[in-house]
Amino acid sequence: MNPAQQVAVEHQNGPMLVLAGAGSGKTRVITHRIARLLERGVPAHMICALTFTNKAAGEMAERVHHIVKEQRLGGKDGAKGIVISTFHSFGLMVLGRERKSLGGTFTIFDQGDCVGAVKDILSRIHANKAVDSAAVLARISNAKNAFLSPDELEVREGDEYDEITKVVYPKYQSALRSFRAFDFDDLVVEVARLWKERADILDRWQKEYLYVLVDEYQDTNRAQLEVLRLLCERHKNICVVGDDDQSIYAWRGADVRNILDFEEQFAGAKVVKLEQNYRSTAPILAVANSVIEKRSDSKYKKRLFTEKLGGDKVKLGVAPSPEAEAAYVARELRRIIREEQRKPKDCAILYRSNGQAKLLEEQLREQGVPYRMIGGQQFFERKEVKDVLAYLKLALNRADEISLRRVINYPPRGIGDTSVEKLTQHATAKGWSLWQAVERVDGLDGVSNPARDGCKQLEGIVGDLRKKLLIERAPASGVARELCEAIGLKKDIDATSTSTNAGARRWGNVEGLFGILGRREQRVEAKGGDATAERDLMAFLHSLTLQMSDEDEDPGNVVTLSTLHGSKGLEFDVVYLIGCEEGLIPHMRTLETRATDTSGVPGAAAGNSQDIEEERRLFYVGVTRARQRLELLRCKHRVMRGKPMPRTPCRFLMDIDDELLEHFEVKDASPMSVSEMATSANNLLAMLDALGK
C-alpha cells in the first residue's frame, strides 16, 4: 500500500473522509481497513460496510473473506457476522427485524408496482389522462431521497407536475400502507423515521454496529445521510470513501453536498486523499486532470498521478457526420480485435444518451463485431418472472393489492377490467381489502357470473399456494412449478409470444426463476435452516426485488456499449467516447439560455452552473474508464429537424491542453464495394454463429 492508503487503513476511532480519485484503490483500502479492525480485536458482527450495488457488495465481501482467511484474522469465525450490503438491503434487514413495530409482514413494491399505484391514484382524482405517472413517481422519489414528507414538499410556482405530485404523494403513501407495502426508497427513509421516532430501537442498533464504512459516499442522498448520522451519532466511528469528482447521480437524488460538507456533519473528521492512480496511463490522466481541475464547485482539489511511464497520446477525431463517426469506431474495433489481438471485452464505446447507440449497433453488426448494451431489460423486470413472483407474494400477503391486481385475471379467467372496478367499488364502500371482495364475491351485486367463477378459481389457487408454503412447508421451487402447471402459464406464454423462439426464451426465464428458488433452498438447507418458513421466503422475495440489474450474468467476450452514467465503476483497455459536442455533453437539458454566457464556447448557452459541473464530472468519469487507449470523437454536423446543422465542440474539450491531444480527421463513410459487402455479410454470419455457440 502507498502511504496515503496506509494512513486510511490504520486510522481507527472517529470520523474519516477518504477522497479516493478514480482508479486509486479505494476497495483495497476499505477491505484492508476492515481486516485491520478485526486484527485489533473488533468483533466481526459490530462492523457494517455499505455500498450501492449488489455486485460491489459481493466483490467487497469476497475480498474481505479472502484477506481474513489469508491472514487468519477474526478468530475461529473469521469475518462471519460482518454486514456488507447495499443501503437498501441493510434497510430491508432493519425493517424486517423491526416488523412488529411496523405492523407485521410487509411487501416490497418494485418500479412497475409503484407506477401502477400512481396511475390508480391519478385515475381516482380524475387527473388529466396526459399526466405521466412515471414522472410523478420520480418527483415523489426525489422528495423521499431528500427526506421530505408529503407535508414538507414545496410546490414551485407554475409547475403543474409539482402541484399534481403534492396531491398524489400523501395518497400514494396511504395506498402503500393499506397494502402493507414499502417502495424502494422507503427501505432507507422508513429506517430513518423509525429511528427518529423510537429512541429505544435506535439505541439497540447503535450498540449493534460500532464501526460503519461507506463506499461511493458521493452517491448518497439526504435520507441515507440521516440514517448514517443516526446510526453513528453515539460512537462517531464512520469512515466514508468517495470522490466528489465522480458525483454524477443528482438526477436520482444523490447530493454532492454530503461529501463536501462531511467535516461539518461529523466534527473532527480526518481527511485523507488518494491520488495515485493504478488504472490509466499518464497521457489519459493528464487529459482527466485538465478537465476536472476547471471545476467551479470543487472543495477538495486532487490531481491524479501514476508511476507508469509511456502510453498512447489521447486522440481527438472530428467526423463529418454521426454515420461516419459510427463507421469509424466499428472499423477500428474490428481492426484492433483482428490485428492487435485485443479482446472485445476489453473495449468499450461510451456516449451521453441511449439514442446515440442505434448507428453504432448497425455498424458493429455490419463489421461483425460482437457487442452488448448495458441498460436492457433486467431479469426481475420481465413480465413472466414478475407474474410468478406476484402469485407467491400474494399467497404470503393477501393484502398485497398490487400483486393481486397483476394476477387477478392472468392467465385470463373471466375477471375483466369492469369486474375489477366493481370489486374495487364494493371493497371501498365496505372498508375491505380487494382480496376480501374476491373472497365474498357471491354476496356482491353487479358482478358477472364469469367473474364470480374466476374469483373462486383464483381463491382456490392462492389458498392452495398458502397451504403448500405455510402448512405443508413444501419447497417454493416445487410449489412455483406446480402453480405454473395449474394456471397453464407455459401454454399462455406460447400463445401470446410473437415467435417460437420468443416463447422459448420467455419460458426459459421462468425456468431460471425456478433455478434461483432451488439454489436458495439448497443454501438454506446447507446451513441447517428451514427453507420454507414464511418469514424466510418473504425475505427472499424481497431480496429479489432489490436485484436491480443482471450483475451476475457474464456478458461474454463482447464489446460494451454504455451511456456514461452506466459506465461508472467499469474499466476497459480501449475506450471510444463519442458525441463530444455541446447539446450532447453537456446535455441540452442543462443548457438553459442565460443572459450571460461565461463558458467561453462560441454559440454555447451558459446553462445552470450546478448542472454543467455535474456534466463535467460525467465527462471525467468517461475519460477515466480507459486504461491504455482513449479516443474522443465529435461530429461537424448532425441532422436536426431534417436539416444538417453545424455542431459546436464540447466545452470540456476546450479545457484540455492542446499538446495533450493528437488530432485527426475521420473520413466520410463511402459506399461499400461488392467484395466489401460480401465480407461484411460473412462477418455478420460469423458473429451470429459465435453468439449462438
Side-chain angles (χ1 to χ4, degrees), residues 195-213:
W195 285 350
K196 286 172 77 73
E197 294 168 3
R198 292 284 302 272
D200 57 326
I201 294 176
L202 173 60
D203 179 70
R204 191 165 63 247
W205 285 93
Q206 286 176 337
K207 290 176 180 176
E208 185 154 347
Y209 296 110
L210 186 60
Y211 289 91
V212 177
L213 301 93

Side-chain angles (χ1 to χ4, degrees), residues 423-447:
L423 291 168
T424 302
Q425 290 171 1
H426 283 294
T428 302
K430 299 177 185 295
W432 297 343
S433 68
L434 183 58
W435 178 258
Q436 288 174 314
V438 169
E439 287 181 313
R440 303 169 188 180
V441 68
D442 278 340
L444 303 181
D445 297 330
V447 181

Side-chain angles (χ1 to χ4, degrees), residues 153 243 340 366 374 389 399 407 436 480 487 516 526 556 559 627 673:
L153 181 64
D243 184 5
E340 299 181 14
E366 189 172 288
I374 292 179
L389 289 175
V407 301
Q436 288 174 314
I487 63 177
I516 290 169
V559 171
R627 289 190 289 245
S673 66

Side-chain angles (χ1 to χ4, degrees), residues 178-197:
S178 69
F179 301 154
R180 294 211 301 271
F182 292 123
D183 65 17
F184 194 63
D185 299 313
D186 285 336
L187 297 179
V188 175
V189 173
E190 292 305 316
V191 170
R193 292 203 190 283
L194 179 65
W195 285 350
K196 286 172 77 73
E197 294 168 3

Side-chain angles (χ1 to χ4, degrees), residues 105-107 180 386-405 407 435 439 458-471 474 476 479-480 483 532 534-535 537-538 541:
T105 302
F106 57 85
T107 296
R180 294 211 301 271
K386 292 184 70 172
D387 290 336
V388 178
L389 289 175
Y391 272 105
L392 295 177
K393 290 178 182 177
L394 182 60
L396 297 177
N397 176 15
R398 288 172 294 183
D400 183 350
E401 187 168 318
I402 293 293
S403 290
L404 173 55
R405 287 179 178 274
V407 301
W435 178 258
E439 287 181 313
L458 179 63
E459 187 182 355
I461 290 168
V462 173
D464 188 48
L465 276 176
R466 284 181 64 82
K467 178 183 175 184
K468 289 175 179 175
L469 291 172
L470 305 181
I471 298 175
V479 173
L483 163 71
T532 56
E534 174 187 2
R535 190 198 326 165
L537 179 57
M538 182 59 90
L541 296 179

Side-chain angles (χ1 to χ4, degrees), residues 396-546:
L396 297 177
N397 176 15
R398 288 172 294 183
D400 183 350
E401 187 168 318
I402 293 293
S403 290
L404 173 55
R405 287 179 178 274
R406 184 174 189 91
V407 301
I408 194 169
N409 197 43
Y410 183 76
R413 55 176 62 91
I415 313 174
D417 291 344
T418 301
S419 297
V420 172
E421 184 57 33
K422 286 285 184 185
L423 291 168
T424 302
Q425 290 171 1
H426 283 294
T428 302
K430 299 177 185 295
W432 297 343
S433 68
L434 183 58
W435 178 258
Q436 288 174 314
V438 169
E439 287 181 313
R440 303 169 188 180
V441 68
D442 278 340
L444 303 181
D445 297 330
V447 181
S448 67
N449 288 332
R452 292 180 196 276
D453 292 340
C455 287
K456 292 174 185 176
Q457 183 185 1
L458 179 63
E459 187 182 355
I461 290 168
V462 173
D464 188 48
L465 276 176
R466 284 181 64 82
K467 178 183 175 184
K468 289 175 179 175
L469 291 172
L470 305 181
I471 298 175
E472 297 176 1
R473 305 283 184 173
S477 58
V479 173
R481 283 186 182 276
E482 292 173 14
L483 163 71
C484 293
E485 187 174 341
I487 63 177
L489 186 62
K490 187 175 188 305
K491 182 179 179 181
D492 186 82
I493 285 175
D494 289 339
T496 56
S497 296
T498 55
S499 67
T500 303
N501 286 340
R505 185 171 60 252
R506 290 178 63 200
W507 181 249
N509 291 333
V510 177
E511 292 276 4
L513 179 59
F514 297 155
I516 290 169
L517 292 170
R519 287 190 292 277
R520 172 253 177 190
E521 289 154 4
Q522 290 171 2
R523 287 194 298 271
V524 174
E525 263 183 53
K527 295 177 181 177
D530 180 359
T532 56
E534 174 187 2
R535 190 198 326 165
D536 290 341
L537 179 57
M538 182 59 90
F540 184 70
L541 296 179
H542 288 167
S543 74
L544 296 187
T545 307
L546 301 187

Side-chain angles (χ1 to χ4, degrees), residues 39 51 136 198 250 359 370 494 538 547 560 563 582 586 591 680:
E39 187 179 8
T51 186
V136 174
R198 292 284 302 272
L359 289 172
D494 289 339
M538 182 59 90
Q547 301 296 317
T560 294
T563 62
E582 291 289 300
L591 299 180
S680 175

